[in-house]
Amino acid sequence: MGGHLVTVATCSLNQWVLDWEGNLQRIVESIHLAKKAGARLRVGPELEICGYSGLDHFHELDVYTHSLEMLRKLLEDESCHDILIDVGLPILHRNIRYNARAILLNGKILLIRPKMWLANDGNYREMRHFTPWMRPRETELFHLPKILQEIQGETHVLFGDAVISTPETAFGAETCEELFTPKAPHIDMALDGVEIITNSSGSHFTLQKLDVRLKLIMEATRKSGGVYLYANQQGCDGERLYFDGCAMIIVNGDIVAQGSQFSLNDVEVVTATVDLEEVRAYRSSISRGLQAATSNAKYQRIQTSFELSPEDEDTDIWKKPTLPRQPRYHSVEEEIALCGGCYLWDYLRRSGTAGYLVPLSGGIDSCATATLVFSMCRIVIQAIEDGNQQVIEDVRRICKYGEEGELPKTPQELCNQVFTTIYMGMSKQSSSETRGRAKELADAIGSYHVNLDIDDVYEAQKKLIVQTTNFEPKFKVHGGTVQENLTLQCLQARIRMVTAYEFGQILPTARGRPGGGSLLVLGSANVGESLRGYLTKYDCSSADINPIGSIDKADLKRFIAWAEKKFDLPCLHGFLTAVPTAELEPITQEYVQSDEADMGMTYAELTVFGRLRKLNKLGPFAMFQRLVHDWSADREKVEGDEAPFYTPRQVAEKVKRFFHFYAINRHKMTTLTPALHCNDYSPDDNRFDLRPFLYPPFWKSWSFKRIDMELEKIEKRREERAGKGKETA
């Protein structure tokens, strides 16, 4: 029987897909930090050796070969001995691809534990790349390749679902998605006496997801008792996802250690000292004992003499259990600022480009994108002040204006080095207000700002139509048709896209940046506009990356209102009070273009449509059936009810309008700029929201006819009820 005080470590690593040596270096650094803190067990993120978001690279044999080569390097590194290591990697076993974990000790493999329940919802496609291990609590032999046989001194190691037994306790592993399943492996492990559970995750960020994740992890040990170590990736590993870290250690349902959710640290290790006697006391209830005694779920135990808590450490009176703490959450506004800023920095430093460029329109969407870049600059400057050497190295490499090696001292100084804003106006369509707001924002955040008009280019392109067809298109306000109006609006929008890329490619050279380089163009279409298709294909929504592409208008407004005070940017107030407008039509005394008027629905209604379509999985008819109640003009208003009041016919018209425009504009989603994933109702066509892009006309569809049938019944019943009410009166 060993001691009862155990120091354990988990971590968040900023891994990068296929960055083999970089990933290994970060793994080794995390092990060193864990050992330095006195930990005897270290767990890391899912697939940390190769990076989580390998996608179809997991079909390539190179990935499995190089993963084992990195594993060998880790086993050979004696500085990583004297600690139990739980490391994630893909494994090819008997011609089957597995998402697996290797449990290592002193240069030897104790167990390879394959993932049993694979993630396949939303952005996750693990079943496309891996096969789950479908035999709970069973093991077989894995034939080691020659490069590992030499180190192991054996030809085979155990492969399957087993646990590790040390002199004083036992620990087992579950991986990411397994925690979220109704019958998670930790339940049977806990009933079989396993006291420490490790979880290696690749869990990406969505707004307010941390609350759900924390509750699940806390509940895992609140019911079963035990120590739970959660590890996660942190940062952008090469995809649209931001992995939001937050490594944590939980004992009997209480958090004792929690890492950062957003950070520029490539390696963050979280440690805690836990008392195994507290776990045993917590599990002493009669009901739990009866369930454990009658459970048939028995795990094979792999014995090791390595002590997690040497008995003589119990006499170390300076060593004590880590006290519980309250969980730490960020508000929606903070999450947008921190996630967007950290993601943009990862993307910039790893892309090798000179900075970002965003077309500023004077509206709130492009304002939000620019403010996120400023948030990035604030985070980077703070990291420099904190002495983050990786950030300092990256800043020196990217920021080449001015004295060589000189670091910017303020967010505005950094912003001027890496961020260009450009206002592309039209003399008749653009107002002095939007032009002024764009300039004021650029001055406040310190961006390099370009103010120009595209009238000459627009007139030249328009002249092509006149010369070729002998027909001059006109705007609607000048008597033109709908098609003429759209043609002229789209022409301006596409000229702006070409101009943005033109300046993005040449500006670093024109500004005298040593080595030149190019700028990544940022998009500013929010999730509602993408869902509705309220954008021009190949306009300024076409960019290299879109940091707000899955954030709705309401959350963007909340973020800007928060940033106005938090970032000390008073100029943001003007963006909040301005009417959203594309400014693609001429301004007259009688007419100013409005986004919501053009769309025929409010941004708040778009959010509702988006959530019901994706999260609630409702088509046109089912959505009408839901909203005719939620938005009923006849309902009694209660506190907290912010929904609009519409008659059944108005609800039917709204639902039909949404699905009509959603269907005819769905083709735009196939070319949508990759957007940072922040919401679970994103219309991203790449992998998250897979739908056809050629639909039958919805106005003639059976689902619309069913809405009409239902509407007729509802209206008839309303009339009858109204008639009875008159008789009673």
Side-chain angles (χ1 to χ4, degrees):
M1 181 95 177
H4 59 88
L5 293 178
V6 177
T7 300
V8 291
T10 180
C11 62
S12 297
L13 303 183
N14 194 341
Q15 304 297 71
W16 193 7
V17 169
L18 307 187
D19 181 22
W20 299 105
E21 292 173 300
N23 289 346
L24 179 61
Q25 180 270 323
R26 287 181 283 272
I27 291 169
V28 170
E29 183 180 345
S30 72
I31 295 169
H32 289 173
L33 290 172
K35 289 180 66 177
K36 187 177 180 181
R40 308 273 284 179
L41 169 63
R42 174 266 184 202
V43 58
E46 186 173 6
L47 296 170
E48 58 187 307
I49 284 181
C50 58
Y52 180 80
S53 301
L55 301 175
D56 283 358
H57 284 294
F58 288 122
H59 294 150
E60 300 168 4
L61 292 178
D62 272 7
V63 170
Y64 300 85
T65 300
H66 296 332
S67 292
L68 292 179
E69 289 166 346
M70 294 303 113
L71 181 62
R72 175 185 171 124
K73 287 178 178 289
L74 183 58
L75 290 167
E76 289 177 323
D77 190 340
E78 293 186 7
S79 70
C80 296
H81 289 190
D82 299 319
I83 184 171
L84 275 163
I85 301 168
D86 180 345
V87 65
L89 76 165
I91 290 287
L92 187 64
H93 174 52
R94 299 182 183 179
N95 298 327
I96 302 173
R97 292 169 171 83
Y98 291 100
N99 175 345
R101 319 256 296 277
I103 312 300
L104 317 177
L105 176 63
N106 294 336
K108 307 294 182 184
I109 302 171
L110 299 182
L111 169 71
I112 296 175
R113 198 278 193 182
K115 191 172 182 179
M116 299 167 62
W117 303 107
L118 301 179
N120 293 289
D121 301 311
N123 286 298
Y124 294 106
R125 297 291 169 79
E126 291 182 13
M127 287 286 281
R128 178 182 174 95
H129 310 117
F130 302 112
T131 300
W133 178 254
M134 299 302 292
R135 292 152 51 194
R137 298 175 301 284
E138 290 187 25
T139 61
E140 61 190 29
L141 292 177
F142 172 75
H143 185 80
L144 291 168
K146 285 186 179 180
I147 61 168
L148 295 181
Q149 288 181 21
E150 298 167 3
I151 299 175
Q152 190 75 15
E154 298 178 19
T155 57
H156 295 79
V157 295
L158 275 180
F159 183 98
D161 187 22
V163 299
I164 307 296
S165 183
T166 69
E168 63 280 274
T169 188
F171 86 87
E174 64 181 10
T175 307
C176 199
E177 174 74 8
E178 294 172 355
L179 167 67
F180 293 80
T181 58
K183 192 179 180 184
H186 69 258
I187 298 172
D188 283 336
M189 279 192 246
L191 289 175
D192 196 31
V194 175
E195 294 176 330
I196 301 174
I197 310 290
T198 62
N199 185 307
S200 169
S201 279
S203 185
H204 67 74
F205 167 80
T206 57
L207 289 168
Q208 300 294 282
K209 177 183 176 181
L210 179 61
D211 179 50
V212 175
R213 190 190 300 154
L214 266 172
K215 286 177 179 175
L216 279 168
I217 299 172
M218 292 166 71
E219 188 64 23
T221 57
R222 182 166 285 123
K223 286 177 65 176
S224 302
V227 180
Y228 203 96
L229 278 66
Y230 174 83
N232 193 19
Q233 175 142 323
Q234 187 170 66
C236 165
D237 72 343
E239 246 275 36
R240 302 155 198 260
L241 309 176
Y242 181 85
F243 295 90
D244 57 336
C246 206
M248 64 190 88
I249 299 170
I250 295 175
V251 179
N252 298 335
D254 292 324
I255 294 177
V256 295
Q258 180 183 356
S260 67
Q261 189 178 4
F262 309 102
S263 169
L264 299 188
N265 295 321
D266 282 350
V267 178
E268 183 176 288
V269 174
V270 175
T271 61
T273 298
V274 300
D275 190 344
L276 296 177
E277 295 295 341
E278 289 186 9
V279 175
R280 293 157 191 162
Y282 193 87
R283 289 179 173 179
S284 63
S285 73
I286 301 301
S287 297
R288 187 262 169 198
L290 288 171
Q291 287 191 342
T294 57
S295 173
N296 294 320
K298 302 301 178 184
Y299 285 82
Q300 179 178 350
R301 277 167 159 73
I302 299 169
Q303 302 293 330
T304 173
S305 59
F306 182 78
E307 293 180 310
L308 289 180
S309 176
E311 194 166 347
D312 59 358
E313 288 192 8
D314 284 356
T315 60
D316 181 359
I317 61 173
W318 290 273
K319 188 173 184 178
K320 62 179 182 179
T322 306
L323 296 176
R325 50 168 296 168
Q326 290 299 311
R328 182 178 61 251
Y329 301 101
H330 292 288
S331 67
V332 169
E333 299 89 338
E334 289 173 328
E335 284 189 334
I336 292 173
L338 294 170
C339 176
C342 291
Y343 179 87
L344 285 170
W345 181 247
D346 267 355
Y347 200 96
L348 176 60
R349 71 187 180 107
R350 287 176 166 172
S351 68
T353 51
Y356 289 118
L357 178 147
V358 68
L360 277 183
S361 66
I364 198 165
D365 292 333
S366 60
C367 163
T369 298
T371 306
L372 280 177
V373 178
F374 185 64
S375 176
M376 175 195 82
C377 293
R378 288 171 54 91
I379 296 168
V380 170
I381 292 297
Q382 184 61 56
I384 291 174
E385 292 174 356
D386 293 341
N388 187 315
Q389 291 304 308
Q390 182 63 59
V391 172
I392 291 171
E393 179 185 324
D394 289 330
V395 170
R396 285 200 170 115
R397 177 174 51 84
I398 296 169
C399 299
K400 294 187 176 181
Y401 303 106
E403 295 294 328
E404 185 176 351
E406 183 181 355
L407 291 171
K409 296 179 176 59
T410 67
Q412 283 81 1
E413 286 183 25
L414 177 59
C415 206
N416 190 262
Q417 294 258 4
V418 301
F419 189 38
T420 295
T421 51
I422 180 170
Y423 182 86
M424 296 173 280
M426 287 278 290
S427 57
K428 293 182 180 179
Q429 279 83 284
S430 304
S431 67
S432 59
E433 288 81 8
T434 56
R435 192 184 299 266
R437 282 199 298 270
K439 177 67 165 61
E440 195 177 357
L441 175 60
D443 289 343
I445 64 177
S447 65
Y448 181 82
H449 188 61
V450 177
N451 183 5
L452 57 82
D453 287 320
I454 61 170
D455 295 72
D456 291 345
V457 185
Y458 167 77
E459 291 298 337
Q461 286 289 327
K462 181 181 172 184
K463 194 174 181 180
L464 279 178
I465 301 174
V466 178
Q467 290 177 339
T468 306
T469 65
N470 199 30
F471 175 81
E472 183 173 359
K474 298 177 183 177
F475 283 106
K476 180 175 60 179
V477 295
H478 296 150
T481 63
V482 171
Q483 199 61 36
E484 292 173 64
N485 199 53
L486 282 175
T487 298
L488 295 179
Q489 289 188 67
C490 292
L491 179 57
Q492 297 168 70
R494 289 176 176 135
I495 288 171
R496 289 189 172 110
M497 184 271 287
V498 173
T499 305
Y501 273 97
E502 176 186 358
F503 276 79
Q505 287 181 312
I506 199 63
L507 269 178
T509 301
R511 291 184 64 191
R513 183 180 189 268
S518 62
L519 305 175
L520 291 165
V521 178
L522 296 178
S524 298
N526 64 59
V527 67
E529 289 169 348
S530 299
L531 186 65
R532 162 64 171 71
Y534 186 64
L535 52 91
T536 300
K537 201 173 187 180
Y538 304 118
D539 69 347
C540 279
S541 64
S542 296
D544 295 306
I545 201 77
N546 183 356
I548 68 164
S550 66
I551 306 177
D552 65 35
K553 200 79 162 185
D555 284 340
L556 287 176
K557 284 186 174 181
R558 289 173 61 182
F559 164 61
I560 293 300
W562 173 85
E564 177 189 355
K565 295 178 174 59
K566 187 70 175 179
F567 294 172
D568 191 22
L569 297 172
C571 64
L572 295 182
H573 187 73
F575 291 88
L576 287 168
T577 56
V579 176
T581 174
E583 288 197 336
L584 292 171
E585 297 181 74
I587 299 171
T588 69
Q589 288 186 339
E590 295 79 24
Y591 178 76
V592 177
Q593 189 175 16
S594 163
D595 289 352
E596 292 185 334
D598 280 356
M599 292 190 297
M601 59 195 74
T602 67
Y603 281 105
E605 290 165 0
L606 263 178
T607 297
V608 173
F609 292 142
R611 290 186 180 279
L612 292 180
R613 181 196 70 97
K614 181 68 177 177
L615 300 181
N616 294 71
K617 302 172 178 61
L618 303 183
F621 181 57
M623 190 179 293
F624 168 73
Q625 288 184 308
R626 167 71 178 266
L627 290 178
V628 78
H629 296 281
D630 290 356
W631 290 354
S632 173
D634 301 327
R635 75 182 190 278
E636 182 180 344
K637 187 172 178 63
V638 296
E639 187 177 351
D641 182 0
E642 301 295 334
F645 285 79
Y646 290 135
T647 66
R649 185 164 296 276
Q650 287 173 319
V651 173
E653 290 171 356
K654 289 274 186 180
V655 171
K656 287 180 179 180
R657 177 181 289 271
F658 166 72
F659 275 101
H660 165 70
F661 284 106
Y662 164 78
I664 66 172
N665 288 311
R666 182 65 193 179
H667 65 96
K668 297 177 183 178
M669 298 302 98
T670 63
T671 61
L672 197 65
T673 296
L676 168 61
H677 183 84
C678 295
N679 254 324
D680 284 334
Y681 66 96
S682 166
D684 168 33
D685 187 69
N686 175 266
R687 62 188 275 199
F688 184 70
D689 188 45
L690 305 184
R691 314 271 174 147
F693 52 88
L694 179 62
Y695 281 99
F698 267 167
W699 288 113
K700 299 178 181 179
S701 69
W702 175 249
S703 57
F704 276 25
K705 291 176 182 176
R706 285 290 284 115
I707 290 175
D708 291 338
M709 294 178 197
E710 190 82 354
L711 176 62
E712 185 178 351
K713 294 178 184 177
I714 292 171
E715 289 188 330
K716 184 177 180 181
R717 184 167 182 174
R718 287 183 83 223
E719 289 173 4
E720 291 174 352
R721 185 168 181 173
K724 289 180 180 178
K726 289 180 181 178
E727 291 175 7
T728 305

